[in-house]
């Protein structure tokens, strides 16, 4: 993928219970190419799966490129686009003087991946009929229902 081409990603996370078994789904579009990715964990949270979906979309890119990531998580979109996650990192993973930032392991990885690309996160209303977002949701839900899900080591440790 080269910098002059745009990649479009649709991402979603799902959790059967919160916490509970969780899954993430990604639909990547690049010209005429399409790639679908999914995975999950046996015990995690919905927010962790939403963040993980974006991480996995960016991990799939083989070289720096421009990417628009569609997510139905305003939390994820705002944390990156409004600089919240950057501030949390600058403040030692604290949201303010008293509250720790949640999921610093994932935010750190996401910030690293975002720094390698030209990334725009765009919010899309969930379950609103946007075809590729609906597909990402189905991928995430199917992944959350798998029987052989691995441990989310960071979540289960905390």
């Amino acid at each position: 993928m080269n910098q002059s081409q745009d990649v479009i990603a649709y991402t979603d996370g799902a959790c059967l219970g919160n916490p509970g078994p969780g899954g993430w789904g990604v639909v990547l579009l690049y010209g005429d190419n399409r790639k679908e990715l999914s995975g999950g964990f046996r015990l995690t949270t919905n927010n962790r799966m939403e963040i993980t979906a974006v991480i996995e979309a960016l991990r799939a890119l083989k070289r720096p490129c421009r990417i628009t990531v569609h997510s139905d998580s305003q939390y994820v979109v705002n944390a990156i686009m409004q600089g919240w996650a950057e501030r949390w990192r600058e403040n030692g993973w604290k949201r303010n003087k008293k509250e720790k930032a949640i999921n610093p392991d994932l935010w750190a990885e996401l910030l690293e991946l975002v720094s390698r690309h030209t990334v725009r996160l765009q919010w899309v209303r969930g379950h609103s009929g946007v075809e590729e977002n609906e597909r990402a949701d189905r991928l995430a839900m199917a992944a959350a229902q798998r029987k052989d899900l691995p441990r989310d080591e960071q979540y289960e440790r905390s």
Side-chain angles (χ1 to χ4, degrees), residues 46-121:
N46 189 69
N47 279 341
R48 286 186 67 80
M49 293 298 88
E50 294 283 0
I51 301 164
T52 299
V54 178
I55 288 170
E56 295 298 339
L58 296 175
R59 269 190 191 160
L61 304 176
K62 301 209 182 328
R63 61 181 60 113
C65 43
R66 286 189 315 242
I67 181 168
T68 300
V69 179
H70 299 267
S71 171
D72 63 8
S73 171
Q74 288 187 13
Y75 174 59
V76 173
V77 171
N78 290 337
I80 296 301
M81 298 307 294
Q82 294 187 22
W84 300 351
E86 281 280 355
R87 283 192 298 279
W88 299 335
R89 179 172 62 185
E90 290 168 5
N91 293 330
W93 296 110
K94 295 204 175 186
R95 292 180 57 194
N96 55 47
K97 289 182 180 181
K98 293 183 181 179
E99 286 182 298
K100 288 183 181 179
I102 299 170
N103 304 314
D105 59 315
L106 296 178
W107 290 119
E109 185 172 3
L110 182 53
L111 287 170
E112 170 59 28
L113 289 164
V114 164
S115 74
R116 298 180 195 171
H117 305 282
T118 302
V119 178
R120 181 169 68 102
L121 273 89

Side-chain angles (χ1 to χ4, degrees), residues 9-14 24-27 29 34 36-38 50 70-72 124-143:
Y10 290 84
T11 65
D12 203 6
W24 55 266
V26 174
V27 176
L29 305 171
R34 173 191 189 91
E36 294 184 350
L37 308 165
S38 65
E50 294 283 0
H70 299 267
S71 171
D72 63 8
V124 59
R125 183 176 302 281
H127 309 289
S128 63
V130 176
E131 182 180 339
E132 303 300 359
N133 189 62
E134 297 290 342
R135 179 62 184 150
D137 176 67
R138 287 192 301 276
L139 289 167
M141 287 299 294

